[in-house]
Amino acid sequence: MLEESLKNRLVYRKENIYFAITLLFSILAYVVLVFSLVGILIILGLMLVSYFFHALSMASIRRNGVRISEQQFPYLYQKAVKLAEDMELVKMPAIYVMESMGMLNAFATRFFGKNMVVVYSEIFDLVEENREEEVLFVLAHEFAHLKRRHVLIHLLLLPAMFVPFLGEAYLRACEYTCDRYAAYYVGNVNTAKETLSMLAIGKKLSGKMNKEAYVQQLREESGFFAWMSEKLSSHPDLPKRINALEHWVNPELYPLVREKKTGIIVLGSIASIVIAASLTGAMVLLVQGSKALTSFLEDPYLYEDSYSYEDDEYIYEEDLVDSPPVIQAVMEEDKKKLEQLVAEGADIDEKDAEGYTALQYAVSWGDIETAKWLIENGSNVNSTDNWGSTPLMNAVYNVADVELVELLLTNGADKTLEDSEGKTAYDYAVEIRDPELRDLLK
């Protein structure tokens, strides 16, 4: 039932709305252009030059990139083929890996009617680190762009892409949709969150990053310029993408973290006037042809993903209270401070405002060494937070770590306990579709 519900909500609700607006504007722009000789020349020139430079770029990738196939990394290729089949893509896209000089990136594109996905080597290297699920998430995200025909219709919507705020809003909505597709078809929301975290802090530290604290930055990093920077971007902010995925899977447990809008309303009104003026000005410029000439080097087919979520309904909540010293030591990864505090008599199970203990934090971050030390020094493995969640539930849902789950079970974690929603750790293992954890918790 849960999987069916998620599948019915794969498309982000604003994508179709923004698509209709951008399509209407683009059609009007093309109609205006067609009724003038200059406009016709602009359209033809735009298409010819765009095709030319796109073809050069893709030809270079096809000649120099490494194509994944049955002869080249066959194991991952077969998984990619299965992923494409599950997503019901008509044809398997060609997948190329190319040197990235440290950049974490990938994009979906078309080359003379054929779909392609290009993955930068920095991401593909994850295969060697036994993190192939993250690679599959990236591939599924790009496959979703192809599935939703985002690349194919880019040329049709090109005039709207030059209008400030309008084109970006549609592109951000597309990113939300593709994140959902990728998380659903890879079958693990935690993998999706881990991949997005990797794009925020890098491959080495993503596993240690406190994703909950990262999402809470939305409360702190707010204001007009923060709002404006996202509205002018083709990609939503990364913490919003993580939060939106959590909310999509379990809206009651993970409400949208809302950013402060005080002061933005007035400035937003001014921005709306700017948008309206931009729309009018864009139409005039299209007729005159002066601004359209600057688009000759634009590649209408390259849908590049730097993976950087947009939702217009975010506001501020109360600031978090300071955490107890024991929890602060865990958050700071200061083992000596933690040992000193406990030796001096600090309550090892002291809770913060949300009912989290130090063990809850260590488990939620996948810090097995600290979790083991806390358990050995008397921490309660069955403590519950304000939502009734136990360390065992967090080990399953937040990190899906088999070794951590085994550690908790060995030390008396009760797998029959239920949280405020009536769910056990086993129920969460079923929810994230992890067969190994399901078997452990039966």
Side-chain angles (χ1 to χ4, degrees):
M1 180 64 73
L2 176 62
E3 289 190 13
E4 189 63 29
S5 172
L6 293 178
K7 190 171 185 179
N8 292 334
R9 294 184 288 115
L10 286 176
V11 179
Y12 178 59
R13 60 189 178 82
K14 292 187 178 181
E15 181 185 328
N16 291 331
I17 296 173
Y18 288 136
F19 172 72
I21 296 172
T22 54
L23 178 63
L24 177 61
F25 175 82
S26 297
I27 289 175
L28 290 174
Y30 281 128
V31 169
V32 171
L33 287 172
V34 165
F35 280 100
S36 69
L37 178 59
V38 173
I40 295 174
L41 293 175
I42 289 172
I43 293 175
L44 292 176
L46 177 64
M47 290 181 176
L48 289 173
V49 175
S50 296
Y51 269 117
F52 178 75
F53 283 100
H54 175 74
L56 283 180
S57 175
M58 293 303 101
S60 177
I61 290 175
R62 288 164 64 92
R63 288 292 294 270
N64 297 288
V66 177
R67 182 170 180 175
I68 308 306
S69 65
E70 293 179 349
Q71 291 76 40
Q72 198 76 265
F73 299 98
Y75 175 69
L76 189 70
Y77 178 73
Q78 290 301 325
K79 290 204 167 189
V81 170
K82 177 65 166 55
L83 186 63
E85 290 176 351
D86 291 343
M87 295 179 71
E88 299 179 348
L89 292 179
V90 178
K91 291 183 179 180
M92 175 63 188
I95 303 173
Y96 291 87
V97 178
M98 60 182 294
E99 173 56 37
S100 62
M101 294 184 289
M103 292 181 63
L104 290 165
N105 210 346
F107 58 86
T109 185
R110 285 175 67 82
F111 182 70
F112 289 105
K114 295 182 179 180
N115 289 330
M116 289 173 52
V117 170
V118 179
V119 181
Y120 285 11
S121 59
E122 193 71 12
I123 288 179
F124 196 75
D125 285 346
L126 291 168
V127 175
E128 285 296 298
E129 301 173 20
N130 296 318
R131 298 173 67 180
E132 65 180 39
E133 278 203 346
E134 280 94 330
V135 178
L136 290 174
F137 173 84
V138 172
L139 289 175
H141 183 103
E142 303 309 330
F143 286 179
H145 280 308
L146 300 174
K147 172 74 175 178
R148 293 289 300 166
R149 295 182 173 84
H150 295 154
V151 177
L152 186 62
I153 64 176
H154 199 89
L155 181 61
L156 177 63
L157 302 179
L158 190 58
M161 297 299 111
F162 292 99
V163 181
F165 304 103
L166 179 59
E168 287 86 353
Y170 170 66
L171 296 178
R172 290 195 301 271
C174 292
E175 292 301 309
Y176 281 121
T177 294
C178 292
D179 276 348
R180 292 182 179 185
Y181 266 84
Y184 179 83
Y185 283 101
V186 170
N188 193 330
V189 174
N190 287 317
T191 293
K193 291 161 60 178
E194 189 65 29
T195 306
L196 294 173
S197 299
M198 174 190 72
L199 297 165
I201 198 171
K203 298 188 293 186
K204 293 184 179 180
L205 297 176
S206 61
K208 294 185 177 181
M209 189 180 89
N210 183 343
K211 298 170 183 60
E212 182 178 353
Y214 183 53
V215 169
Q216 298 307 320
Q217 285 183 204
L218 293 170
R219 296 171 168 172
E220 303 168 7
E221 306 298 331
S222 60
F224 174 73
F225 289 104
W227 174 83
M228 180 64 75
S229 70
E230 185 184 35
K231 294 301 178 252
L232 293 175
S233 173
S234 61
H235 289 73
D237 295 332
L238 280 168
K240 281 190 177 181
R241 293 174 70 176
I242 293 174
N243 182 221
L245 276 178
E246 293 175 330
H247 182 73
W248 171 60
V249 174
N250 197 331
E252 295 181 359
L253 188 61
Y254 294 101
L256 290 175
V257 176
R258 302 178 181 276
E259 63 184 344
K260 188 176 181 180
K261 285 193 173 179
T262 304
I264 290 181
I265 296 177
V266 175
L267 292 172
S269 299
I270 297 173
S272 298
I273 297 173
V274 173
I275 294 173
S278 298
L279 288 170
T280 305
M283 292 296 292
V284 174
L285 290 173
L286 283 169
V287 175
Q288 295 175 343
S290 59
K291 288 294 183 181
L293 293 175
T294 63
S295 68
F296 274 8
L297 297 180
E298 178 74 10
D299 185 350
Y301 287 94
L302 190 60
Y303 202 103
E304 194 162 336
D305 280 315
S306 54
Y307 292 96
S308 1
Y309 240 83
E310 181 266 353
D311 196 329
D312 298 329
E313 304 170 355
Y314 284 70
I315 56 176
Y316 229 31
E317 296 176 11
E318 296 179 0
D319 292 331
L320 294 174
V321 297
D322 293 335
S323 300
V326 173
I327 291 177
Q328 288 180 10
V330 173
M331 294 172 69
E332 295 168 359
E333 298 184 344
D334 192 335
K335 187 72 174 296
K336 289 184 179 180
K337 181 179 178 182
L338 176 62
E339 292 174 351
Q340 181 182 351
L341 287 167
V342 174
E344 293 175 351
D347 183 0
I348 200 170
D349 284 324
E350 186 175 359
K351 297 183 177 182
D352 64 8
E354 296 182 345
Y356 271 57
T357 63
L359 180 59
Q360 290 273 33
Y361 277 99
V363 166
S364 297
W365 294 354
D367 189 346
I368 192 166
E369 291 185 6
T370 301
K372 185 176 181 180
W373 187 89
L374 288 166
I375 293 172
E376 290 173 348
N377 285 270
S379 187
N380 182 9
V381 295
N382 291 311
S383 62
T384 57
D385 59 23
N386 295 348
W387 296 274
S389 297
T390 65
L392 183 62
M393 295 175 190
N394 288 333
V396 173
Y397 195 81
N398 290 337
V399 292
D401 190 316
V402 172
E403 186 179 358
L404 196 51
V405 169
E406 289 177 336
L407 172 68
L408 292 166
L409 290 173
T410 302
N411 286 276
D414 188 349
K415 60 185 179 182
T416 66
L417 292 178
E418 298 180 351
D419 62 12
S420 58
E421 293 189 344
K423 293 183 178 180
T424 64
Y426 174 77
D427 294 327
Y428 285 113
V430 172
E431 184 172 314
I432 66 173
R433 293 182 278 186
D434 190 313
E436 192 171 359
L437 287 177
R438 287 202 304 261
D439 292 341
L440 266 178
L441 294 165
K442 280 184 179 178

